[in-house]
Amino acid sequence: MRSLVLVFILGVPSLSLRAAWRLRPLAAVQLPLNDESQGFPTLASPNVPLDTVKNLRDLASVRNANIQPHRLVRMGYPSHATAADMETLRGDLRLKTLIDLRSDKELFMDEKVDCAPYYEDFESFRRCRVTQQWFRFCMEEVPEQSSSSDKEALGKKAVRKAAKKIKSKMVKRGAKPVPVADPTQEPATHPQRLMISVMDENTYKMGVLTRLRKRHKAAFMGLLLGGIFSKRMYGRARELVLEYVNQGGLPLLNDLLLTSSGKELAMILKIAADKSRHPIGLYCTAGKDRTGLIVMLMLAAIGVDDESLLNDYVLSDSAYKDLNDNKAMVGALEQQNLDAETFLRAPRYVMESTLQHIREEYGSVNNYLDSIGFDAGWRAKLKDALTSH
């Protein structure tokens, strides 16, 4: 039986993805060819220059938002913060809550996720995306860290299995993660780091599956299932996903995030609406894509006009100054598998496409927020938390 399945799957005619796969259009927006055509704002960047933490800026800098300073800061992940960076993070910002949007794979690839000096200020919790169970993430229970070279020596196979092994690799040998009640359900009385993964590679695979033409779904599903037994089939399934994602670009990643992670998005927005948790630091890898989408939803939820939130988004265009940064993660995918010029930038058309897509699919951003459980009452609470004196 297995051989028949393999013959069927591997015998599917080789077609270009553009011809064989249906990429649902997000918006009829022409892609810009250069910086001059992207309509970037001319005002000085409000990004705070730090040594190693990318793309840090206070949402109080967004025009027409009336957000008070030190309520919510967006940034790249702070694991490698230098002593000078920590003076800003600890002394000037005094962040009380960190919201880490990265996937388990990204956490595993971050050799300082469990030993960075900055994280010592926080009690850390990780939410399992699959089971939705929270676990205590104990800094003192972690073994001596592997170096970057050690991780490279492990090879791609080990990285692929990171999601399955994350629980055992993040705590000391023989210890088990400690399940805890949802820490977001109580007002914060001390600094907390909340790891809430909003996307991972499996989410992309399932998102691609739902967008295929019916006649190709069976073949792709066969590749996914066959990948359990065959490296070749696993590699082919992953290759097709990446080709599809490369064609769709950042608007597709935003669409997948909106449709696949509504529960996580609502959770994060509700945390932001809790005054007891301010100031909040929100980040993914560079604070550009996943962070950018959530910030857009926050700004739209409190009534900020499109032009102001678009101007804030494009300020992240320089988050990756080195477009060949192989360590870059774009929406939980490794940059080396994606087109750098497309995925490491933050051009205006990306968020324009996303806004247009939301309005075509749901009627308005507020209707989308209603659909995920962040209704008018929660939006009013968020506005009060961010803008009241």
Side-chain angles (χ1 to χ4, degrees):
M1 181 65 183
R2 185 186 300 177
S3 61
L4 290 176
V5 173
L6 289 171
V7 169
F8 169 71
I9 293 169
L10 299 178
V12 174
S14 177
L15 302 173
S16 71
L17 286 179
R18 196 173 296 276
W21 298 39
R22 180 176 63 86
L23 179 60
R24 188 170 65 188
L26 298 180
V29 180
Q30 184 176 0
L31 274 62
L33 299 178
N34 51 54
D35 287 352
E36 288 71 28
S37 68
Q38 293 174 6
F40 288 159
T42 56
L43 41 135
S45 172
N47 287 349
V48 177
L50 297 180
D51 294 334
T52 60
V53 181
K54 300 175 183 288
N55 201 25
L56 187 151
R57 60 184 179 275
D58 194 317
L59 288 198
S61 66
V62 179
R63 285 188 173 183
N64 303 318
N66 299 317
I67 295 175
Q68 296 301 309
H70 299 278
R71 299 294 169 85
L72 196 142
V73 173
R74 58 179 298 171
M75 61 185 184
Y77 74 108
S79 297
H80 298 272
T82 63
D85 292 343
M86 284 192 285
E87 283 187 18
T88 299
L89 296 172
R90 286 174 170 166
D92 299 336
L93 299 178
R94 299 180 185 177
L95 299 177
K96 187 174 182 180
T97 305
L98 299 180
I99 303 177
D100 189 331
L101 307 174
R102 293 177 295 167
S103 66
D104 282 351
K105 179 177 179 179
E106 291 170 279
L107 295 177
F108 174 65
M109 294 175 69
D110 179 1
E111 65 270 15
K112 293 198 173 224
V113 69
D114 44 18
C115 66
Y118 179 55
Y119 296 144
E120 294 175 359
D121 299 342
F122 300 86
E123 185 175 7
S124 299
F125 300 92
R126 186 184 70 85
R127 178 181 180 271
C128 176
R129 182 175 171 83
V130 177
T131 65
Q132 300 177 26
Q133 173 66 56
W134 283 91
F135 296 92
R136 188 179 300 279
F137 190 94
C138 299
M139 299 281 286
E140 68 273 15
E141 292 184 348
V142 211
E144 189 174 333
Q145 292 300 295
S146 300
S147 66
S148 298
S149 59
D150 291 334
K151 291 188 177 182
E152 290 175 5
L154 289 173
K156 294 183 179 179
K157 182 177 180 181
V159 174
R160 285 200 302 265
K161 294 181 179 179
K164 295 181 180 179
K165 295 184 176 181
I166 188 78
K167 295 178 184 178
S168 60
K169 286 186 177 292
M170 292 300 182
V171 295
K172 70 180 180 181
R173 192 169 304 161
K176 293 183 179 180
V178 180
V180 295
D182 184 348
T184 69
Q185 295 303 302
E186 298 292 336
T189 57
H190 51 273
Q192 292 183 346
R193 176 171 57 145
L194 304 172
M195 304 175 190
I196 307 173
S197 171
V198 293
M199 283 297 280
D200 56 29
E201 198 165 303
N202 288 331
T203 305
Y204 287 118
K205 290 174 184 174
M206 298 311 297
V208 167
L209 178 64
T210 62
R211 287 161 173 75
L212 292 179
R213 295 181 185 275
K214 290 183 179 180
R215 60 181 177 175
H216 296 289
K217 282 186 177 181
F220 185 67
M221 179 62 78
L223 285 173
L224 292 178
L225 295 174
I228 299 173
F229 309 102
S230 166
K231 292 181 180 180
R232 179 185 177 190
M233 294 176 71
Y234 175 90
R236 181 55 180 156
R238 190 169 187 275
E239 178 185 332
L240 292 176
V241 169
L242 291 171
E243 286 186 47
Y244 193 86
V245 169
N246 271 309
Q247 285 185 18
L250 288 171
L252 173 62
L253 297 192
N254 284 345
D255 179 27
L256 291 173
L257 183 53
L258 289 166
T259 56
S260 303
S261 302
K263 183 174 293 186
E264 289 78 13
L265 295 178
M267 178 183 295
I268 293 161
L269 292 172
K270 289 175 181 178
I271 293 170
D274 182 353
K275 290 182 179 180
S276 74
R277 295 187 171 276
H278 293 185
I280 294 173
L282 177 68
Y283 61 91
C284 45
T285 295
K288 181 177 78 73
D289 301 308
R290 288 161 288 184
T291 301
L293 180 67
I294 292 172
V295 166
M296 180 276 286
L297 292 175
M298 284 185 189
L299 296 176
I302 66 173
V304 177
D305 62 279
D306 284 7
E307 189 65 21
S308 296
L309 64 85
L310 288 170
N311 285 343
D312 176 69
Y313 174 72
V314 299
L315 291 173
S316 295
D317 188 63
S318 62
Y320 288 113
K321 293 181 180 179
D322 179 5
L323 294 185
N324 293 313
D325 180 2
N326 286 328
K327 293 183 179 179
M329 297 291 289
V330 180
L333 293 175
E334 293 174 80
Q335 179 267 317
Q336 59 188 335
N337 297 313
L338 303 171
D339 177 68
E341 187 63 28
T342 298
F343 286 92
L344 297 190
R345 306 293 299 273
R348 184 185 180 94
Y349 80 87
V350 170
M351 203 54 72
E352 286 179 332
S353 297
T354 299
L355 285 167
Q356 183 172 333
H357 170 65
I358 291 174
R359 286 162 181 158
E360 288 175 353
E361 291 291 317
Y362 300 92
S364 68
V365 175
N366 283 344
N367 285 349
Y368 169 75
L369 294 172
D370 286 339
S371 75
I372 64 172
F374 196 73
D375 59 21
W378 275 108
R379 294 194 289 274
K381 189 175 181 180
L382 175 66
K383 185 171 184 177
D384 179 68
L386 293 179
T387 64
S388 63
H389 292 279

